[in-house]
Amino acid sequence: MKKLTIEDVAQKAGVSKSTVSQFLNKRFKYMSEATKNRIADVIEELNYQPNGLARSLKQNRTHMVGIIVANIDYSLSIQCIRAIENELSLRGIQVIICNADENADKENTYVETLIARQVDGLIIFPTGDQSSAYSKLIDAEYPLVFMDRLVEGVTTQSLLLDNEMAVKTAVKELTRHGHEAIAILSLPLGEHAITPRKERMSGYKKAMEEAGLPLNDRYMRSVPREEISAALDDLLRHPQPPTALLAANDLVLGEILKYANRHSIAIPSRLSVIGIDDAEFARIYNPAITTIRQPAYEMGMQAAKLMLSLIEDQDAAVPITYRFPPALQLGQSVQPPSAAE
């Protein structure tokens, strides 16, 4: 039996081959509903199966997008990836997910590997300041989207939380309950000052100043995950310990809650706690932890839409940094310090 071709579909539908090609690639911008339905009916009637490999070679597209995550342990990363994959799959695009483990060399290797695989574009949660590698992609007009982090000297489509506003929202909630001795605990800023950590620390300083509260260096800690317990020991055994603690991300919050359980520290009667990032475990902890949510799924959907736009119409792309607003998710982990014993 003669193998059906795109030309057979076009002839039976009474349209051009290019119109059928646009239909197969889900480009309906200038296509009427009647034409779409007619082509769909013919494809179903003929049971036409497009040759994906041949189409990719002809279009110089593989219908694959690479996602390089700085750290897949973050709840943000998981939710963003799910949204990106869902959105791209609706357009017949598969994703390849790589975890860089906060290692710039590993990230560079993944970039080279994915480019060699001829992916149509890259969505990257940058590990740090790799401006030269990214600039080469931009100079080549390669579809590139940054998530969660910015890189100095690199201008591309970028999506991230309004980190300073997130911390200000947390501090405002704590001061509303009468807290003044508020500490913040973060993972290390890193050699190149990873964007969320840097902005959340600067947001803390601004929020405390705006609230008319003094800055205490002892209350601002940036330590590796394995040193969080020791940092908490030092904070809470100080003659003037904080009455409230802000966890700068979900990994830090998890360590704080484990520490509280081990040392029988009652939350919030002894220590009020707020976490940034809406981790699932924050809602099932007893008491439920007040968090500052970032709209991770919405961010992922927007990243996918931007990637599709870059792939299909690169000339129309104007580099923009999209800032998403945080939202206060109330739990039962904050109460006035006067209630603490």
Side-chain angles (χ1 to χ4, degrees):
M1 178 181 285
K2 174 179 175 290
K3 183 175 177 62
L4 290 171
T5 66
I6 192 173
E7 188 171 0
D8 296 323
V9 176
Q11 287 180 353
K12 190 165 183 65
V15 298
S16 67
K17 288 195 297 182
S18 65
T19 300
V20 177
S21 177
Q22 290 172 12
F23 176 90
L24 293 172
N25 288 292
K26 305 183 188 302
R27 296 179 181 174
F28 308 128
K29 190 173 182 180
Y30 302 109
M31 193 178 300
S32 70
E33 198 66 30
T35 299
K36 284 169 55 179
N37 292 337
R38 190 162 67 252
I39 295 172
D41 290 343
V42 169
I43 288 174
E44 183 177 1
E45 179 186 343
L46 297 178
N47 193 26
Y48 173 67
Q49 300 292 327
N51 186 329
L53 178 59
R55 191 163 82 246
S56 294
L57 292 172
K58 185 173 181 180
Q59 298 173 340
N60 197 28
R61 284 185 59 184
T62 58
H63 298 275
M64 292 190 295
V65 165
I67 303 175
I68 303 177
V69 188
N71 190 333
I72 206 165
D73 287 339
Y74 295 131
S75 57
L76 170 74
S77 303
I78 296 168
Q79 293 177 53
C80 283
I81 289 171
R82 181 180 292 114
I84 293 167
E85 193 277 332
N86 285 346
E87 192 71 20
L88 292 180
S89 68
L90 295 175
R91 303 294 294 270
I93 296 176
Q94 296 179 321
V95 299
I96 301 174
I97 302 166
C98 304
N99 177 34
D101 275 329
E102 299 287 6
N103 184 311
D105 292 334
K106 195 173 181 181
E107 180 188 336
N108 286 336
T109 299
Y110 281 138
V111 169
E112 293 171 2
T113 300
L114 291 169
I115 294 296
R117 292 283 297 272
Q118 296 183 313
V119 295
D120 297 331
L122 290 173
I123 298 175
I124 302 178
F125 297 67
T127 57
D129 190 6
Q130 303 294 312
S131 58
S132 59
Y134 304 132
S135 295
K136 290 177 183 177
L137 297 175
I138 293 169
D139 291 343
E141 297 184 342
Y142 191 83
L144 175 66
V145 173
F146 281 169
M147 291 290 298
D148 189 44
R149 303 173 182 184
L150 304 175
V151 177
E152 188 174 352
V154 179
T155 304
T156 189
Q157 308 288 353
S158 305
L159 303 95
L160 66 164
L161 181 70
D162 187 335
N163 290 294
E164 289 197 352
M165 180 57 67
V167 178
K168 288 180 179 180
T169 301
V171 171
K172 184 177 180 180
E173 175 65 9
L174 292 169
T175 56
R176 185 175 74 85
H177 283 82
H179 289 278
E180 296 183 358
I182 302 168
I184 182 171
L185 188 54
S186 166
L187 294 176
L189 297 182
E191 181 183 353
H192 303 293
I194 293 171
T195 307
R197 301 176 195 175
K198 176 180 66 175
E199 292 182 347
R200 290 172 191 182
M201 192 62 74
S202 67
Y204 166 84
K205 295 175 182 177
K206 291 177 182 178
M208 294 292 282
E209 290 172 356
E210 288 174 7
L213 299 174
L215 287 175
N216 185 334
D217 288 341
R218 295 185 65 90
Y219 288 174
M220 295 179 281
R221 301 297 182 92
S222 299
V223 298
R225 189 174 184 176
E226 60 273 15
E227 296 178 18
I228 289 176
S229 181
L232 288 167
D233 277 339
D234 186 58
L235 271 172
L236 299 178
R237 291 174 183 172
H238 188 266
Q240 293 181 313
T243 60
L245 184 56
L246 174 58
N249 67 22
D250 55 344
L251 295 186
V252 173
L253 177 61
E255 295 300 317
I256 290 171
L257 298 182
K258 286 189 282 187
Y259 180 94
N261 285 344
R262 285 197 308 269
H263 296 273
S264 299
I265 295 174
I267 296 173
S269 59
R270 180 177 171 189
L271 183 70
S272 289
V273 174
I274 293 182
I276 299 179
D277 294 336
D278 193 24
E280 183 70 23
F281 64 81
R283 290 189 291 275
I284 61 176
Y285 189 82
N286 186 19
I289 304 299
T290 294
T291 58
I292 308 298
R293 175 184 178 270
Q294 53 180 321
Y297 197 88
E298 294 88 335
M299 291 166 67
M301 286 185 63
Q302 182 65 24
K305 291 175 181 177
L306 282 172
M307 177 53 61
L308 288 167
S309 176
L310 290 171
I311 291 171
E312 295 175 0
D313 189 12
Q314 295 180 32
D315 292 337
V318 176
I320 297 174
T321 296
Y322 298 81
R323 291 280 186 175
F324 288 76
L328 178 66
Q329 301 284 105
L330 289 174
Q332 293 84 43
S333 62
V334 177
Q335 70 177 37
S338 58
E341 294 294 336

